[in-house]
Amino acid sequence: MMDKTKILLLDDREENLLALKAILNRDDIAIYETTSANEALRIVWDNEIAVALVDVQMPGMDGFEFAETLASNPKTREILIVFVTAISKETTYAVRGLKSGAIDYLYKPLDPYITNAKVDALIRLSRSQREIREKNRLLENYATIVTNSPDIIATVDPETARILSINPSVHTILGLPPQSLVDTSMLDLLVDPLNSGLKEVLISRSYMEGQTIVTEDQFYGRLREPLWLELRIMFKNRLLFINLHNIEKRKAHERELVEAQAVAEKARKVKESFLANMSHEIRTPLNGILGIANLLDATELDSSQRNLLDMLTQSSGSLLNILNDILDISKMEEGKFSIIPQPTDLRNVGKSIMDLLKFKGDEKGISLGFYVDSKIPDCVMVDGMRLNQILMNLVGNAIKFTHQGSVNLRIEHDGLVENHHQIKFIVADSGIGISEKNIKNIFSEYGQASEETSHHYGGTGLGLTISKNLVKLMKGDLKVKSEVDRGSEFYFTFLLEEDAKTSQKAAVISFNDLPPFTDKKVLVAEDNPVNSLLIKKYLTTWKIATTMVVNGQEALDALAKSEYDLIILDSRMPVMDGFETARYIRNTLHLDVPILSLSATVLTEEVQEALQSGMNDTLSKPFQPAKLHEKIETLMYSLI
């Protein structure tokens, strides 16, 4: 709804005011009336009067003097004054009125139609003048903003990119006087005008009325140094209004981030390469040690030799655990670690751990105890391999730091939570304990309770870190309670779903007892002589006709002479490695013979590279003969 126009009625006679009010009785007019010129001056000062109908002859201050007073003050000079008189229509009289500031006359007696018509015209004129004044004020404000803006603001011809106006900030930012840029092309200020965002906007004419387009370009700044500016371009009234904001700091920060990311990526690749090499260098001889242990296990041994073989196997297993711990930490850091729940019998998990570590307890003369709550289901869904890793670390640590007394593993049932069993795992010992000062260090990476701990007891300090992270990944929280010389208790709780299946523990089968592969030919490329000997022993025991070579090139030479049912390639070999060989077999020879990769690393990247190169499956060293047998059976029969 439009605001009412304020009109002042000034006449020294009340009856005249009443007559005027009756004529101007309209909804779009707000009337202020008075019989005193001084009172009228107060009214116009306090209110935004648009039109004043003023009687000419009044005592004290007549209409001419009143009009002159209004015209002399900036606050009231815009009021439209109409004299109302019954004295004379002579030209000289009217001229005096117009000179005093009036714009028209109304003659008594007033004609209502003429009066309303003139008032309508005056209202329209007043509103137009007010709009013009407001626009002028806005323009003045905009001009002030543009002049003092820290950004460059320019108007540009959209057809030619010619600068029509530009504010003083161009001198501050680019070191160029604004007056020298008018009528020049803004493209001339760019470092690379042919490939600029501004030129693309001008050519594509992608702008629409009132729409803002944002782009970035490099301009020549002070001393001709390149400077990044962000351009916000608006098309209005057939002109481009462009705001240019200095984003050099942001760009510098982006460059730093890119460089930091490149450094981090390089460091990641160096670390990845180191881990792969370390894994390969350790796993390759370790596979030989465990393989020889398997060969020895298949021979007749007396009790003393059997004990030595058991110690050899245990020591190799410990070394493998340390290696796996280091790789697991790396995987967790990179978010590449996955938890896979499977049907698991918690009783079997706990018993296997205590049976495996019993010899360590016997060596130290401490008792090992194992308790499982009868309420715990026979089978639950949990990542049994990772749970085994957690409990093996905790129980192994407890034995390491206990000189007398006992180490106990308890699995307790703490009730049901929405169809899930709340199961608590506790490893308690009567060992040396941990002080309150040192307890905060035990979960830190490569950290132990103190330097003396590592010196006296050995270890990498990774076991608890990995256990803590594994428990967290499995939605639990590993906690500890401990007192010095009174022992420690590590515990965590999982919510596990019951599974109707029964978990079966795989029986350990000697490679001699595995079924043979009759009339099958296998080509093996392996450069390590010990591993080569072991693989050939396994394969010949399984009645496989085996051809052994030491690198990929020799494997290709063998393929040129004969056909094979399976190819086994070590991933890292001299002359030509397993990946190159697999790619050549698939892409050049176009053979679809199954290929198994033998890798001394367990990194996800190397597994992916093996599959991408054309290999069908991978087997990580060290491996058990039964696992190799299983892979061979799958590849030779399932892929046919």
Side-chain angles (χ1 to χ4, degrees):
M1 182 179 178
M2 186 174 291
D3 292 338
K4 291 184 177 183
T5 302
K6 297 177 180 179
I7 294 182
L8 171 68
L9 305 181
L10 173 58
D11 197 303
D12 62 329
R13 301 184 65 175
E14 287 284 354
E15 60 270 23
N16 290 337
L17 292 176
L18 290 172
L20 275 172
K21 284 175 63 179
I23 292 171
L24 300 175
N25 184 20
R26 292 162 40 173
D27 293 337
D28 62 338
I29 293 176
I31 295 177
Y32 295 78
E33 58 179 298
T34 180
T35 57
S36 165
N38 289 326
E39 175 65 14
L41 290 175
R42 187 192 64 77
I43 290 172
V44 298
W45 190 261
D46 294 339
N47 300 277
E48 293 183 5
I49 301 297
V51 179
L53 303 184
V54 180
D55 186 24
V56 174
Q57 281 194 323
M58 292 182 295
M61 181 186 295
D62 63 19
F64 300 125
E65 293 172 316
F66 179 78
E68 289 167 353
T69 302
L70 295 187
S72 66
N73 193 304
K75 188 173 181 178
T76 56
R77 66 171 56 150
E78 302 294 336
I79 296 174
L80 302 177
I81 301 172
V82 177
F83 282 144
V84 181
T85 181
I87 300 175
S88 173
K89 295 184 180 181
E90 294 180 6
T91 302
T92 54
Y93 192 78
V95 168
R96 183 187 174 194
L98 295 173
K99 283 184 176 180
S100 65
I103 65 167
D104 204 351
Y105 271 86
L106 285 172
Y107 296 99
K108 300 176 183 178
L110 298 174
D111 184 313
Y113 295 106
I114 294 174
T115 302
N116 272 298
K118 286 193 174 185
V119 168
D120 279 338
L122 293 172
I123 288 173
R124 286 196 297 272
L125 178 59
S126 172
R127 286 174 178 166
S128 296
Q129 289 179 340
R130 184 171 62 185
E131 288 176 5
I132 291 170
R133 288 195 299 272
E134 288 175 354
K135 287 180 179 178
N136 285 337
R137 279 198 296 271
L138 284 174
L139 287 173
E140 289 173 3
N141 291 337
Y142 289 146
T144 302
I145 291 170
V146 169
T147 301
N148 296 291
S149 172
D151 292 343
I152 299 171
I153 299 175
T155 55
V156 175
D157 186 331
E159 302 293 334
T160 62
R162 185 169 55 88
I163 298 172
L164 304 176
S165 68
I166 194 163
N167 70 340
S169 291
V170 71
H171 188 266
T172 306
I173 296 173
L174 301 182
L176 300 170
Q179 61 272 17
S180 69
L181 297 176
V182 175
D183 282 334
T184 65
S185 173
M186 181 166 278
L187 295 173
D188 292 342
L189 306 179
L190 296 169
V191 173
D192 186 5
L194 297 179
N195 299 299
S196 71
L198 176 59
K199 184 177 181 182
E200 178 61 29
V201 171
L202 294 170
I203 292 174
S204 64
R205 297 180 179 276
S206 54
Y207 40 78
M208 296 175 60
E209 185 79 16
Q211 180 185 2
T212 300
I213 300 171
V214 181
T215 186
E216 296 174 358
D217 273 323
Q218 264 192 317
F219 288 71
Y220 282 115
R222 292 178 175 274
L223 303 176
R224 301 292 288 177
E225 287 292 324
L227 184 71
W228 278 101
L229 299 180
E230 180 186 74
L231 288 75
R232 304 184 71 85
I233 305 168
M234 176 181 282
F235 180 67
K236 198 169 184 64
N237 298 330
R238 299 182 181 179
L239 292 175
L240 291 179
F241 294 85
I242 305 179
N243 187 99
L244 300 97
H245 177 67
N246 188 344
I247 56 170
E248 186 58 37
K249 287 185 179 179
R250 192 191 82 195
K251 283 291 184 178
H253 182 59
E254 288 176 0
R255 289 193 294 270
E256 289 172 2
L257 287 177
V258 170
E259 290 170 4
Q261 187 175 5
V263 170
E265 180 65 16
K266 184 178 179 182
R268 186 190 69 79
K269 288 182 177 178
V270 169
K271 174 185 172 185
E272 199 172 90
S273 177
F274 167 76
L275 288 173
N277 288 331
M278 180 194 70
S279 176
H280 182 271
E281 293 302 320
I282 296 176
R283 284 176 181 274
T284 296
L286 188 57
N287 187 63
I289 294 170
L290 289 172
I292 291 171
N294 282 321
L295 295 181
L296 288 173
D297 190 49
T299 63
E300 292 294 330
L301 300 173
D302 59 31
S303 59
S304 175
Q305 291 169 328
R306 181 68 60 185
N307 287 335
L308 290 173
L309 180 60
D310 288 343
M311 284 189 284
L312 174 67
T313 304
Q314 291 290 345
S315 297
S316 300
S318 297
L319 180 58
L320 182 59
N321 286 337
I322 291 171
L323 181 61
N324 288 336
D325 284 349
I326 295 170
L327 294 175
D328 284 347
I329 282 287
S330 175
K331 289 180 183 177
M332 289 176 186
E333 287 175 350
E334 296 183 16
K336 296 179 180 179
F337 203 90
S338 57
I339 299 297
I340 305 172
Q342 293 178 331
T344 303
D345 185 339
L346 298 181
R347 292 169 176 82
N348 283 344
V349 172
K351 184 176 184 305
S352 297
I353 291 169
M354 302 309 277
D355 288 346
L356 188 62
L357 296 178
K358 184 177 184 303
F359 83 97
K360 287 188 177 179
D362 291 342
E363 280 181 353
K364 301 186 73 172
I366 59 177
S367 63
L368 302 185
F370 176 50
Y371 164 79
V372 182
D373 195 320
S374 60
K375 296 177 186 176
I376 289 176
D378 292 335
C379 191
V380 293
M381 292 299 294
V382 68
D383 191 327
M385 184 178 72
R386 297 307 175 188
L387 178 60
N388 182 85
Q389 189 176 356
I390 295 165
L391 295 176
M392 183 71 79
N393 273 328
L394 295 180
V395 175
N397 260 7
I399 294 172
K400 182 194 296 186
F401 297 111
T402 301
H403 302 301
Q404 59 182 4
S406 64
V407 171
N408 295 291
L409 168 60
R410 300 200 309 274
I411 306 177
E412 300 177 351
H413 193 280
D414 279 357
L416 287 170
V417 178
E418 297 180 354
N419 299 324
H420 284 72
H421 295 269
Q422 189 165 277
I423 298 175
K424 187 175 184 180
F425 299 83
I426 305 162
V427 175
D429 64 66
S430 58
I432 62 173
I434 310 165
S435 69
E436 187 175 345
K437 180 182 74 173
N438 291 328
I439 204 165
K440 62 184 178 182
N441 297 325
I442 61 172
F443 292 119
S444 62
E445 195 171 314
Y446 304 104
Q448 295 189 330
S450 66
E451 292 182 7
E452 291 80 7
T453 303
S454 178
H455 177 73
H456 290 297
Y457 296 95
T460 62
L462 287 173
L464 286 178
T465 302
I466 290 170
S467 297
K468 177 84 171 176
N469 290 338
L470 283 174
V471 171
K472 186 176 181 180
L473 285 170
M474 297 168 76
K475 304 189 184 318
D477 187 15
L478 179 58
K479 298 180 180 179
V480 59
K481 294 187 292 189
S482 185
E483 287 185 50
V484 176
D485 298 328
R486 298 288 298 272
S488 304
E489 182 177 288
F490 289 83
Y491 59 95
F492 57 92
T493 301
F494 289 155
L495 286 175
L496 302 178
E497 186 179 359
E498 184 174 357
D499 192 89
K501 301 175 185 175
T502 302
S503 175
Q504 298 293 331
K505 184 178 179 181
V508 177
I509 303 174
S510 171
F511 72 92
N512 284 324
D513 300 326
L514 294 169
F517 300 99
T518 308
D519 299 327
K520 295 294 181 182
K521 292 176 65 178
V522 173
L523 172 62
V524 180
E526 167 64 70
D527 65 316
N528 183 276
V530 176
N531 285 319
S532 180
L533 182 149
L534 290 171
I535 294 171
K536 187 172 183 179
K537 176 67 175 176
Y538 296 149
L539 297 184
T540 53
T541 301
W542 301 331
K543 308 300 183 185
I544 295 174
T546 307
T547 301
M548 302 297 299
V549 296
V550 296
N551 59 56
Q553 184 58 58
E554 290 189 9
L556 296 179
D557 294 340
L559 282 170
K561 300 173 184 176
S562 180
E563 293 183 356
Y564 295 91
D565 299 294
L566 174 69
I567 302 171
I568 299 176
L569 299 175
D570 185 22
S571 61
R572 296 177 182 235
M573 296 180 290
V575 183
M576 181 182 281
D577 66 25
F579 306 127
E580 293 176 273
T581 308
R583 280 191 287 269
Y584 192 90
I585 292 171
R586 296 299 188 220
N587 302 330
T588 304
L589 301 181
H590 302 293
L591 298 177
D592 58 1
V593 56
I595 302 175
L596 174 65
S597 168
L598 285 184
S599 173
T601 75
V602 291
L603 297 179
T604 305
E605 292 77 7
E606 188 152 320
V607 173
Q608 289 174 346
E609 186 178 358
L611 297 176
Q612 289 168 0
S613 68
M615 299 186 188
N616 299 93
D617 202 353
T618 62
L619 180 62
S620 295
K621 301 173 186 176
F623 56 83
Q624 289 298 327
K627 193 66 179 176
L628 175 62
H629 187 279
E630 177 188 326
K631 295 279 187 181
I632 292 173
E633 183 177 28
T634 300
L635 291 173
M636 286 204 301
Y637 296 113
S638 299
L639 295 182
I640 294 175

